[in-house]
Amino acid sequence: MLLFSETHCRENLFPFTLTRHSADIRTGIFTTREKWELAAELFPGLHLPTDLPANIIPGPDFFKAIADHGFEKALKQEILFRVINYPWDIPAINGWAIQQDLELVKMLRQSQPLSSNIRLIGDPEHIFIEEGAVADHCYLNTTQGPIYIGKNVELMEGVMLRGPVTIGEGSVIKMGATIYGATTIGPGCIIGGEVKNSVLFSFSNKAHEGYIGDAVIGSWCNLGAGTSCSNIRNTATPVKVWNMSQHCFMEAGLKCGLIMGDYSRCGINTSFNTGTVVGVCANIFQSGSLQPKYIPSFSWGSDTGIRYEPEKAISDINNWMLFKNRSMTQQETE
């Protein structure tokens, strides 16, 4: 059994670690925990420390270095792994993580054949398609990075993917959607409109037109039709993002879009400011102007000061889960 340490990073990764362990954050194709579990399967002689740092994002060359030289010596080769300290680090390293994870997948199995109806730009060897995926009359471009299409994914006609991109198991990409690298769509998502350099964890929907870029969206979120987020300031100066644990704004680089915690939702035509942070279980429905830069957990509206009562929030979450034939577990409720 693998054990992960997160005391050094957990609070700075809010809002995503309010509802999950740091090791269960998704970058590339897999969560960090899943990457290490695959390594244990692929490299049976791997000797690992008692507590793995949960915010280290590994790749196959890092695993090989550990097998050859041990964990501590491998840590000195910083080019072989990445570290996430803040939420905006997730999209920043995602292109690298997609390529690393795809190498792990290729060690385990072979891709399904590419449909003759797909219009391809680039090398077909950089596309991996799992069993049950449906992808016809789409446009796939691998000149900038690979494309991974998970099990039972449906790419509707007219979808355009420009790698590096990964589409997780059971997700549906709707007609004419445009997805640029480096983007991860996690399992069970529904995506339409335009997405660029973003990570959606699992079971979240951005099903309609609108734009998100350099964003991180948690699990079981829903973005109403026409929702868009800014990812760069009009002055082209560094974006300042609210740090939930330190209660201050921090610089996050020149680009940072929406950061939204699990179970949060917004109504149609919602416009999010550059680097907006939304907590968990927020129900955002005011429109007509940019949202505040920070929307706390369990907000009802955005700046109404009214609390989304936990009992109603849990009931509403269950209603949303029923759309995907699921329900909240006791652990999720707690």
Side-chain angles (χ1 to χ4, degrees):
M1 180 179 177
L2 297 173
L3 298 176
F4 294 90
S5 170
E6 64 168 353
T7 54
H8 62 292
C9 62
R10 179 180 178 273
E11 292 188 353
N12 278 329
L13 289 169
F14 286 170
F16 304 113
T17 48
L18 290 168
T19 43
R20 65 171 54 73
H21 195 285
S22 301
D24 295 315
I25 286 175
R26 186 177 302 276
T27 56
I29 299 172
F30 305 111
T31 67
T32 306
R33 187 187 305 276
E34 290 168 343
K35 299 176 203 287
W36 287 102
E37 289 172 346
L38 282 174
E41 179 182 347
L42 291 167
F43 305 91
L46 209 62
H47 295 291
L48 299 174
T50 304
D51 289 326
L52 287 165
N55 62 332
I56 286 183
I57 311 302
D61 288 340
F62 186 50
F63 298 137
K64 293 173 186 175
I66 295 172
D68 292 341
H69 308 293
F71 185 77
E72 293 301 326
K73 288 186 177 179
L75 271 181
K76 296 178 181 179
Q77 301 185 57
E78 296 181 5
I79 193 173
L80 301 182
F81 61 90
R82 300 292 186 271
V83 178
I84 53 171
N85 293 310
Y86 301 99
W88 51 87
D89 293 330
I90 297 171
I93 64 117
N94 199 51
W96 178 89
I98 290 172
Q99 298 190 52
Q100 302 302 306
D101 287 355
L102 190 53
E103 292 304 312
L104 294 176
V105 172
K106 289 179 177 178
M107 293 179 190
L108 295 167
R109 51 190 176 269
Q110 292 185 330
S111 173
Q112 299 300 299
L114 196 65
S115 168
S116 60
N117 294 323
I118 286 179
R119 297 296 300 271
L120 174 65
I121 303 172
D123 190 340
E125 293 297 315
H126 294 159
I127 296 176
F128 195 100
I129 302 177
E130 300 278 16
E131 290 184 350
V134 177
D136 280 323
H137 302 288
C138 302
Y139 299 84
L140 306 183
N141 185 331
T142 65
T143 58
Q144 301 300 312
I147 294 173
Y148 171 84
I149 301 172
K151 187 177 180 180
N152 298 326
V153 162
E154 181 182 4
L155 302 185
M156 293 184 180
E157 54 271 26
V159 165
M160 294 180 284
L161 306 183
R162 184 180 180 92
V165 165
T166 175
I167 311 296
E169 180 176 346
S171 287
V172 176
I173 312 300
K174 298 178 73 175
M175 290 191 300
T178 305
I179 301 180
Y180 298 85
T183 291
T184 288
I185 307 300
C189 295
I190 302 175
I191 302 297
E194 184 179 2
V195 181
K196 172 253 177 188
N197 194 33
S198 296
V199 176
L200 288 84
F201 285 173
S202 60
F203 300 106
S204 287
N205 300 330
K206 182 205 169 297
H208 306 287
E209 294 300 323
Y211 170 78
I212 63 169
D214 302 281
V216 187
I217 309 297
S219 296
W220 295 105
C221 296
N222 190 77
L223 307 183
T227 294
S228 288
C229 78
S230 168
N231 65 333
I232 187 169
R233 300 182 68 190
N234 284 347
T235 56
T237 51
V239 180
K240 293 186 177 181
V241 179
W242 182 253
N243 183 295
M244 293 177 67
S245 66
Q246 298 184 35
H247 304 286
C248 66
F249 283 97
M250 299 181 63
E251 287 193 2
L254 290 177
K255 288 189 177 183
C256 183
L258 173 63
I259 295 171
M260 177 179 277
D262 294 346
Y263 311 113
S264 287
R265 301 180 296 278
C266 65
I268 63 171
N269 297 323
T270 303
S271 297
F272 288 103
N273 215 326
T274 319
T276 292
V277 174
V278 178
V280 301
C281 295
N283 187 10
I284 303 161
F285 49 80
Q286 289 178 315
S287 61
S289 60
L290 287 173
Q291 298 296 320
K293 289 273 289 185
Y294 172 53
I295 301 175
S297 299
F298 291 95
S299 290
W300 181 263
S302 55
D303 56 2
T304 63
I306 301 173
R307 180 176 172 80
Y308 195 176
E309 292 300 327
E311 295 78 8
K312 178 170 175 52
I314 290 168
S315 174
D316 292 346
I317 290 166
N318 265 309
N319 292 339
W320 278 99
M321 286 188 168
L322 286 173
F323 283 117
K324 301 191 180 188
N325 298 314
R326 293 176 177 261
S327 59
M328 286 191 82
T329 65
Q330 184 62 32
Q331 183 181 4
E332 286 174 319
T333 300
E334 291 173 359

